[in-house]
Amino acid sequence: MFRPADEQLKILCAGAVQIETVDELRKKLEESRAAHRPLRVKLGMDPTAPDIHLGHTVVLRKMREFQDLGHKAVLIIGDYTAMIGDPSGKTRTRPMLAPEAIKRNAETYFQQAGKVLDTAPDKLEIRYNSEWLAGMSFADVLRLASHMTAAQILQRRDFKERLQNDVDIALSEFLYPLMQGWDSVVVRADVELGGTDQLFNNLVGRELQRDEKQESQVVMVMPILPGLDGVQKMSKSLGNYIGVSEPPNEVFGKAMSISDELMWGWYEMLLGKTQAEIAALKAGHPMEAKKTLAAALVERFHGAEAAQAARDHFDNQFSKKKLDEVAEPLAVPAGKIGLIELVEKTGAFKSRGDIRRIIQEGGVQLDGQKLTDPKVVIEPRAGQILRAGKRVVRKIELAG
RNA sequence: GGAGGGAUAGCGAAGUGGCCAAACGCGGCAGACUGUAAAUCUGUUGACUAACGUCUUCGAAGGUUCGAAUCCUUCUCCCUCCA
């Protein structure tokens, strides 16, 4: 039932930044095949933000590959650890989250992770780490904490930097890697996946398992996906993300706005393209390559039909300029109306001052005609196309 | 416990009685250029107003003053050094 270890290894190693260690992974794969026992592949999810974005899918897709090869995904919802907040890559202490918020987030997480993972019960095991962490006594915690020295903890780059810059580190944050490592012990993980920022945490799991006389898990870290800006990692709080639940046109549009340079990185990390395949794409027009990428991403979360529709929508709005095709209706009362009021009805702007500015800067058009006087009063007709800024396109409908 | 320093708009950071809705940089938005690219250039970036202007904002609450981000008092939080 399992494919030969080397075959599996080839698939699994693709795209990974670092594997501790490949030899151990091969050995585990061989043993698993011989014993007809699926490997337990652990992935911790931190339910502090309620949305999964493309950045998360890099690791989730790797998890899916394990599943497709017959292994078992063990998804840990870090409901207990979330109370501390993972210090990885963070420059400041995270606020602790309320239990209800964590629960809510965990539910959306599971639902969204299902867009990438195989959710069949024999392929996916979901555990909340409060199950074993909540009941630990102080003595248990002390015992756990004694596994690690201060020097080891302080080796971490993010801690070191924070210390240097006089940024707080809550003592509880030091315990985070231990909690996560303990998860590995409890679920008897064979492999733990994560982003490169999880390397330290995941390696702690190896140590703890060894101390508990278990075979240490293999740690596999995947690259961190850069966000839309192409500089910082994709994250919700930076606003440079594409969420897996976003509507097709949003996904497509956002993907189109990334730089060419970043596009190749996304091809590699999100679609698993090889350098050779990317080189072939580079020979063509970059915009075509980007549309293909954008369509592939939409297709992944919404299906092929939606991908085609999003592509058409984009073409109509920006390439062919057939605004009539893409405009959403905007109900307007019949009669005269100030331009600012009209634009305000789109609900797409934060204040009237904002609208006034956009008008003055030539960002508002009615039927292709620029209107730059904020105080002009017009009498809109049904079917007219109102455009405000790059993205807002509405077709006037008269109400009443 | 002692001594000193700090908290300013989304972020970083100037400002130390009126010229401060608050320099500058980043980020954001819009325009030009394009491939809705990116980069670049230009404008803009508290709210309301057609505008004059009005209102709210510089950790919190009080006070001094014709006038406070700026001075005083108390409070909250943070940092550094010493113990």
Side-chain angles (χ1 to χ4, degrees), chain A residues 52 94 188 209 236 375 384 395:
Chain A
I52 290 186
R94 287 212 199 157
R188 302 190 153 272
Q209 284 175 314
K236 173 132 181 162
K375 52 183 192 288
Q384 281 186 308
K395 185 191 281 190

Side-chain angles (χ1 to χ4, degrees), chain A residues 137-158:
Chain A
S137 70
F138 202 80
D140 294 331
V141 175
L142 289 176
R143 201 173 315 119
L144 190 56
S146 64
H147 279 293
M148 184 152 262
T149 67
Q152 280 173 323
I153 282 281
L154 289 171
Q155 269 176 2
R156 270 180 77 132
R157 184 144 35 102
D158 23 45

Side-chain angles (χ1 to χ4, degrees), chain A residues 75-229:
Chain A
L75 194 63
I76 310 277
I77 306 282
D79 63 335
Y80 205 76
T81 28
M83 294 197 307
I84 296 181
D86 181 5
S88 293
K90 287 290 175 291
T91 49
R92 63 181 65 182
T93 306
R94 287 212 199 157
M96 288 203 179
L97 278 189
E100 314 81 66
I102 289 171
K103 191 152 179 14
R104 232 184 5 257
N105 291 347
E107 274 159 26
T108 5
Y109 251 64
F110 171 58
Q111 194 211 340
Q112 294 184 1
K115 287 177 185 281
V116 181
L117 295 181
D118 186 340
T119 52
D122 61 322
K123 288 285 181 60
L124 179 63
E125 176 177 325
I126 297 182
R127 306 287 289 272
Y128 289 76
N129 64 7
S130 57
E131 189 191 321
W132 51 87
L133 292 177
M136 287 177 81
S137 70
F138 202 80
D140 294 331
V141 175
L142 289 176
R143 201 173 315 119
L144 190 56
S146 64
H147 279 293
M148 184 152 262
T149 67
Q152 280 173 323
I153 282 281
L154 289 171
Q155 269 176 2
R156 270 180 77 132
R157 184 144 35 102
D158 23 45
F159 281 148
K160 219 186 300 179
E161 277 168 11
R162 280 163 65 178
L163 217 49
Q164 225 158 42
N165 298 329
D166 295 332
V167 180
D168 287 355
I169 305 174
L171 218 45
S172 54
E173 290 183 80
F174 283 156
L175 296 178
Y176 191 93
L178 287 164
M179 293 163 85
Q180 195 172 317
W182 190 247
D183 293 347
S184 292
V185 172
V186 173
V187 304
R188 302 190 153 272
D190 289 301
V191 178
E192 176 157 19
L193 297 179
T196 51
D197 57 350
Q198 293 297 316
L199 182 63
F200 184 91
N201 290 345
N202 296 0
L203 289 175
V204 170
R206 278 169 68 86
E207 310 269 312
L208 292 182
Q209 284 175 314
R210 192 197 54 208
D211 291 350
E212 294 295 321
K213 311 290 183 249
Q214 285 183 23
E215 189 177 293
S216 286
Q217 64 184 5
V218 170
V219 168
M220 184 181 278
V221 296
M222 301 297 294
I224 301 289
L225 187 76
L228 295 172
D229 54 53

Side-chain angles (χ1 to χ4, degrees), chain A residues 228-280:
Chain A
L228 295 172
D229 54 53
V231 181
Q232 293 184 277
K233 75 169 191 175
M234 183 172 284
S235 90
K236 173 132 181 162
S237 53
L238 292 171
N240 62 355
Y241 71 104
I242 299 181
V244 301
S245 296
E246 290 192 65
N249 290 338
E250 281 293 304
V251 175
F252 199 98
K254 282 186 179 181
M256 287 306 288
S257 77
I258 65 174
S259 72
D260 290 353
E261 203 185 342
L262 177 59
M263 162 171 72
W264 308 121
W266 278 27
Y267 257 111
E268 201 179 336
M269 288 182 236
L270 292 172
L271 302 185
K273 295 292 180 204
T274 62
Q275 288 307 318
E277 289 170 307
I278 289 173

Side-chain angles (χ1 to χ4, degrees), chain A residues 212-358:
Chain A
E212 294 295 321
K213 311 290 183 249
Q214 285 183 23
E215 189 177 293
S216 286
Q217 64 184 5
V218 170
V219 168
M220 184 181 278
V221 296
M222 301 297 294
I224 301 289
L225 187 76
L228 295 172
D229 54 53
V231 181
Q232 293 184 277
K233 75 169 191 175
M234 183 172 284
S235 90
K236 173 132 181 162
S237 53
L238 292 171
N240 62 355
Y241 71 104
I242 299 181
V244 301
S245 296
E246 290 192 65
N249 290 338
E250 281 293 304
V251 175
F252 199 98
K254 282 186 179 181
M256 287 306 288
S257 77
I258 65 174
S259 72
D260 290 353
E261 203 185 342
L262 177 59
M263 162 171 72
W264 308 121
W266 278 27
Y267 257 111
E268 201 179 336
M269 288 182 236
L270 292 172
L271 302 185
K273 295 292 180 204
T274 62
Q275 288 307 318
E277 289 170 307
I278 289 173
L281 283 162
K282 281 183 177 171
H285 193 293
M287 186 179 65
E288 280 310 315
K290 206 174 286 176
K291 281 182 180 172
T292 305
L293 170 71
L297 295 177
V298 175
E299 181 171 349
R300 178 173 294 170
F301 304 122
H302 299 281
E305 222 168 286
Q308 187 57 45
R311 190 176 181 131
D312 290 344
H313 181 94
F314 182 87
D315 282 343
N316 280 332
Q317 182 162 6
F318 299 107
S319 307
K320 299 183 197 153
K321 303 262 190 253
K322 283 160 71 179
L323 296 183
D324 204 47
E325 299 282 325
V326 298
E328 296 187 19
L330 177 69
V332 177
K336 291 186 185 303
I337 187 170
L339 186 54
I340 292 179
E341 283 72 33
L342 181 64
V343 175
E344 195 174 23
K345 288 202 178 297
T346 65
F349 299 92
K350 71 177 165 77
S351 70
R352 290 169 66 87
D354 206 27
I355 294 170
R356 192 172 296 122
R357 197 179 317 120
I358 288 167

